[in-house]
């Protein structure tokens, strides 16, 4: 069973020249790893590189705090390392959430470009 979007895609691909078809294909859906690689391209890439480095450091500190937490018997040390662990895990969660929101923004932008391109092609062809 064909859907309307498949039929529209077929019509658009038939009406495109080679350069337009190449651009249209570049707007297709990416795999998860392709989208993650796309995070490190563009004007915001330096922020994501810094956030990745901070994420790795925070995770390392969280592991250190967890090891120290289970290796001590003093209450003050337990509180200190427990709060340190929770803080670092929260920081890691926030960084990952920001990265996923950025992935979502890129996917939405790609879809909007694809729709704009389809509308412009269809309107120029009179379909």
């Amino acid at each position: 069973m064909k859907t309307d979007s498949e039929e529209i895609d077929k019509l658009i691909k038939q009406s495109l020249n080679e350069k337009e078809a190449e651009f249209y294909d570049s707007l297709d859906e990416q795999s998860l790893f392709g989208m993650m690689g796309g995070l490190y391209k563009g004007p915001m890439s330096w922020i994501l590189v810094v956030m990745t480095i901070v994420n790795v450091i925070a995770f390392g500190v969280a592991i250190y705090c967890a090891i120290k937490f289970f290796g001590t018997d003093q209450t003050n040390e337990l509180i200190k390392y427990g709060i340190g662990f929770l803080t670092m895990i929260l920081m890691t969660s926030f960084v990952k959430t920001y990265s996923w929101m950025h992935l979502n923004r890129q996917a939405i932008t790609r879809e909007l470009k694809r729709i704009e391109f389809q509308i412009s092609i269809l309107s120029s062809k009179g379909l």
Side-chain angles (χ1 to χ4, degrees), residues 28-110:
D28 204 13
E29 283 194 45
Q30 295 178 331
S31 66
L32 179 62
F33 293 114
M35 288 192 305
M36 290 174 70
L39 284 175
Y40 300 102
K41 296 175 185 169
M44 299 287 286
S45 64
W46 69 274
I47 292 174
L48 289 162
V49 168
V50 169
M51 289 179 73
T52 301
I53 292 169
V54 168
N55 195 20
V56 169
I57 291 170
F59 186 71
V61 172
I63 297 297
Y64 173 78
C65 287
I67 291 170
K68 288 294 206 174
F69 179 84
F70 290 111
T72 187
D73 292 332
Q74 298 178 358
T75 305
N76 289 341
E77 297 290 315
L78 287 171
I79 292 171
K80 181 171 69 171
Y81 290 123
I83 289 174
F85 175 78
L86 289 175
T87 302
M88 292 299 115
I89 291 298
L90 279 174
M91 180 185 273
T92 302
S93 298
F94 291 148
V95 169
K96 288 186 183 292
T97 302
Y98 177 79
S99 296
W100 282 104
M101 287 181 355
H102 195 71
L103 276 176
N104 189 34
R105 184 182 65 84
Q106 284 182 336
I108 290 172
T109 302
R110 186 173 30 262

Side-chain angles (χ1 to χ4, degrees), residues 110-124:
R110 186 173 30 262
E111 281 301 313
L112 285 174
K113 286 181 182 179
R114 188 170 187 224
I115 290 171
E116 288 172 349
F117 187 67
Q118 288 175 348
I119 290 171
S120 70
I121 293 298
L122 289 174
S123 66
S124 68

